[in-house]
Amino acid sequence: MHEGDFFQLSTSTTLLLLVGFYALTFLLTLLIGKKKENVDGYMVSNNAIGFGLSAASMIATWIWAASFYASATSGYKYGLSGPIHYGFWGALMILFIYPFGRRFRALAPKAHTLAEVIQARHGTSSQLIMAGSNIVGSCISLMVNFTAAGALVSVLSPLTFIQGVLIAGLGVLSYTLWSGFRASVMTDFAQLVAMILAAVVIIPLIFFKAGGTDMLMANMSNLTAEQNNFFSTTAILEQGAPYFVAVLAYAIGNQTIAQRLFAVREDLIKPTFLTATVGYGAVVIGLGMLGMLALFVGIDPAGGDLNNIIPQMASKYLSPIGIALFFVLVIGSLSSTADSDLSALSAIVMTDIYGKNLARGKVKPERMLWWGRATMVVATMLGVIFASLKLDILVMLVFVGALWGAIVFPVIASFYWDRVTNKAFTTSVVIAVLLFATVRFELLPMEGLIGLFFELCAVAGITVVVGLMAFGFSNFRIGLAIGILAGLIALPFMVGFLRDYLVLLASLTAYGVSAIVCSLMSWRSQERFDFSVLAERVTSFHTEPEQKKPSGRVPSGKLAPVRN
């Protein structure tokens, strides 16, 4: 199939769909507009969102451009197991924030960002590392979503890639700018309902129009041996394992998840995250099947760009009405995440840049709102500019997730271990990022003793990843035992082998090195941190001075009861 063979919507129809979608979304946000905005409501809805809105917002935020394009790319590249490797591990990203998130929320119930809590725990340098990583991640996420919008518009309409990027950027900014996070959550609910209805119609329709099960059986020869193997080693090492490693980093490092963690009512954290896990996994695995179908029917990506696979499938197998429905489905999915990124970036700048640093203890809510809205405008401009680079979405996702791996252990350890210091946090993250970059960009040859060194660091990373996941749902001793066992089992298989898979090697190195450095420096520390002070240091910006004191102190190193 060639690019000229695509069915395209007319320019007027495309503009009507885009302008109509964003106009209706904007009108919806007018229902929640406030003449005098509350900065806590603007950032985290005053920590009081209910179950339905919070679960829907979590699902909609993570059913984004990458859920379509990267999941389809995985299905196209790796065959039968591709959609599972993206959708299942992506769902775990939501699940694994739950046990640690309850700890964060119990210690600092009025937080706006995780970096804000890190500042109260350690200081400015650690806070800026955390905030900086989130700014980079959210900007890349914006770029990915605007890239998806441009690819969609350029393939399915006469409009150009840049025109699609500009319309999506301005549209998302228009309805998010005024009400911030509250607008994001409210529109997420409506967008999720529309996305699910469209997906339920579109995915089966494409499958049956492509030939259904008979087509699958007839075209098995189009798949390589690895693509035809559900337990493909290539798929596991190149996609499944790196993404599995990345999901824990996304769960801990991503402000869009943390923002929803701090926004939902504390007693609803568990049902919210469990529901979002199941909902995300089910929808995204289904969407990834479109890429696998493209592999079966022998479609070549237009211009060699794998981001064009899903638009090509829609163009080939859907009627004009179906294509219009698909168009709205993708625009809704990428918009629901782009507005979350804008809200996350504004919260970081409002809280961590202005509130905790520039304001010098004299926070002015009106000035803080100005910073938040200005951030959204600048971030949209940067997202549009970077989207013009047309980078591979799947590659960008794995890169950011791996980079965030450097902060996972120091962050989690900081909220459970009273010995962790600011110096240990910052030093471990910086060293881990440097070694990650060394591997990822092949600054040194991965052979001989150098290769062995990084493989041993990666084995330590396996221990950390498995151990932290087990610890989250059990206790320290069980987590430590399972992590060490996983490392010992992996050791003989990884040495001399892992150096051939640099993406996975770099990701695991970031985890292992940060954990080793942070643990060694903290173990020697004589400092002891009183966790009860976090609730006193992290407060609502609009709370009156006499209301700022917490209702009860939490004993050092222990948690107050958390309602289920």
Side-chain angles (χ1 to χ4, degrees), residues 322-338:
I323 291 175
L325 185 63
F326 167 80
F327 191 87
V328 174
L329 167 65
V330 180
I331 291 296
S333 69
L334 63 88
S335 297
S336 67
T337 304

Side-chain angles (χ1 to χ4, degrees), residues 222-482:
N222 288 344
L223 276 64
T224 65
E226 285 293 325
Q227 290 171 336
N228 197 21
N229 181 7
F230 189 79
F231 301 99
S232 166
T233 302
T234 300
I236 292 172
L237 291 173
E238 293 184 2
Q239 169 63 31
Y243 201 58
F244 172 76
V245 171
V247 296
L248 185 59
Y250 269 97
I252 300 301
N254 197 302
Q255 169 62 16
T256 60
I257 291 183
Q259 199 165 15
R260 281 152 181 78
L261 167 69
F262 292 125
V264 66
R265 266 175 40 196
E266 192 171 346
D267 59 316
L268 296 176
I269 292 176
K270 182 177 181 179
T272 294
F273 281 81
L274 291 179
T275 301
T277 297
V278 176
Y280 172 88
V283 175
V284 172
I285 289 173
L287 293 171
M289 295 297 178
L290 296 180
M292 190 182 72
L293 289 177
L295 176 64
F296 271 91
V297 299
I299 286 182
D300 293 322
D305 187 355
L306 292 174
N307 295 338
N308 288 329
I309 291 174
I310 283 188
Q312 286 177 253
M313 290 293 286
S315 179
K316 183 176 178 65
Y317 294 109
L318 293 178
S319 66
I321 294 177
I323 291 175
L325 185 63
F326 167 80
F327 191 87
V328 174
L329 167 65
V330 180
I331 291 296
S333 69
L334 63 88
S335 297
S336 67
T337 304
D339 62 41
S340 298
D341 288 318
L342 289 180
S343 299
L345 285 166
S346 67
I348 292 170
V349 173
M350 290 168 71
T351 301
D352 300 307
I353 305 299
Y354 171 74
K356 297 296 182 179
N357 289 284
L358 299 181
R360 300 183 182 277
K362 298 179 180 179
V363 174
K364 296 181 179 179
E366 296 80 9
R367 181 68 59 83
M368 180 176 276
L369 284 171
W370 183 90
W371 275 96
R373 288 169 177 152
T375 298
M376 289 190 180
V377 174
V378 173
T380 301
M381 293 173 57
L382 292 176
V384 168
I385 293 171
F386 290 141
S388 64
L389 300 176
K390 296 185 180 182
L391 300 176
D392 185 276
I393 291 175
L394 190 59
V395 171
M396 294 305 299
L397 284 174
V398 174
F399 176 80
V400 174
L403 191 60
W404 271 337
I407 69 173
V408 171
F409 182 87
V411 168
I412 293 177
S414 294
F415 294 107
Y416 288 90
W417 192 12
D418 59 4
R419 286 176 178 262
V420 180
T421 64
N422 181 49
K423 187 176 181 180
F425 186 102
T426 54
T427 304
S428 61
V429 172
V430 170
I431 293 177
V433 169
L434 290 175
L435 292 182
F436 161 81
T438 300
V439 178
R440 188 66 182 84
F441 300 112
E442 299 182 68
L443 302 180
L444 292 175
M446 292 298 117
E447 54 189 34
L449 292 178
I450 295 176
L452 176 62
F453 169 76
F454 282 104
E455 284 170 337
L456 292 176
C457 291
V459 171
I462 293 174
T463 300
V464 172
V465 172
V466 176
L468 286 177
M469 290 181 174
F471 166 63
F473 293 97
S474 56
N475 57 50
F476 173 74
R477 290 185 178 180
I478 293 177
L480 182 63
I482 293 177

